[in-house]
Structures are given as C-alpha cells and as structure tokens.
C-alpha cells in the first residue's frame, strides 16, 4: 500500500462525506429523520461519495464500489460496537487502505 495514495483517498472521501453531512444537516428535515431513515440515507450517501472519489482520483468504479463496501462493512461493525463517529473513522480508513492497494493508482515511474 502506498502512503500517498492512502492519504489522497482518505482526504477526498473524507471531504466529500463531511460536505454531504453538512448539507444534510442544513436541510430542514424532521428531527427523527435520520433515526428513522439513517440506515438508507447513510449507505446511499457513502456510495455517492465513493463514486465521486472514483471520478476525482481516476479509479475504476467497480473497484471503488468494492472499497466502499469494505469500508461500509467495517464501519457498520465498529458502529455497532462503539459509536457512529468511530464507525465513520473505521469506514474511511478501510476505504482509503483498499483504494491505495490498487496498482494503477500508484505512478509506476515515481512509485507514488
């Protein structure tokens, strides 16, 4: 795994998730919306952010969706054992580590 690729994937996905979170928080939604619909909106938002990350970083969409699935499963497990924010951190770390393992993501000439 390349450290620079890991950092790029982590920063891009993290920024997109944070921006979407801020947008959703700013919307005038009912107080219990996320309690009732979070199990749907969370994975949809995560997937949309992963698609944008794939586009920004030039990663193949199927591979990036697989990375998003891996991160989502890890995040869900940590969420069940701890908190939502701990699950988000775990999801981002697994997603970035998975993306950084893609060979073409690393420039063959420079190793970055």
């Amino acid at each position: 795994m390349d450290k620079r690729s890991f950092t790029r994937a982590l920063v891009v996905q993290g920024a997109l998730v944070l921006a979407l979170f801020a947008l959703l928080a700013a919307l005038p939604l009912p107080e219990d919306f996320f309690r009732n619909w979070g199990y749907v909106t969370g994975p949809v938002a995560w997937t949309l952010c992963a698609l944008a990350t794939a586009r920004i970083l030039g990663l193949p969409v199927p591979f990036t969706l697989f990375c998003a699935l891996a991160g989502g499963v890890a995040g869900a497990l940590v969420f069940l054992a701890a908190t939502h924010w701990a699950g988000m951190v775990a999801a981002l770390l697994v997603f970035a580590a998975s993306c950084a393992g893609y060979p073409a993501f690393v420039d063959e000439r420079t190793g970055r």
Side-chain angles (χ1 to χ4, degrees):
M1 176 179 73
D2 178 59
K3 188 185 268 188
R4 183 172 179 265
S5 300
F6 171 84
T7 303
R8 287 175 56 207
L10 180 66
V11 167
V12 171
Q13 182 74 354
L16 291 170
V17 167
L18 184 60
L20 189 54
F21 173 79
L23 175 69
L24 289 172
L27 292 177
L29 298 170
E31 189 173 318
D32 62 346
F33 176 81
F34 292 105
R35 190 175 17 249
N36 294 333
W37 293 99
Y39 67 94
V40 174
T41 57
V44 169
W46 180 256
T47 302
L48 291 173
C49 290
L51 290 171
T53 298
R55 178 86 171 162
I56 292 166
L57 297 179
L59 292 168
V61 170
F63 174 77
T64 308
L65 290 177
F66 178 78
C67 295
L69 178 63
V73 169
L77 292 173
V78 172
F79 165 71
L80 291 173
T83 66
H84 182 267
W85 290 109
M88 182 57 63
V89 169
L92 286 168
L93 292 173
V94 170
F95 174 81
S98 300
C99 287
Y102 187 68
F105 194 34
V106 179
D107 185 354
E108 310 257 336
R109 293 168 288 159
T110 64
R112 295 183 219 176

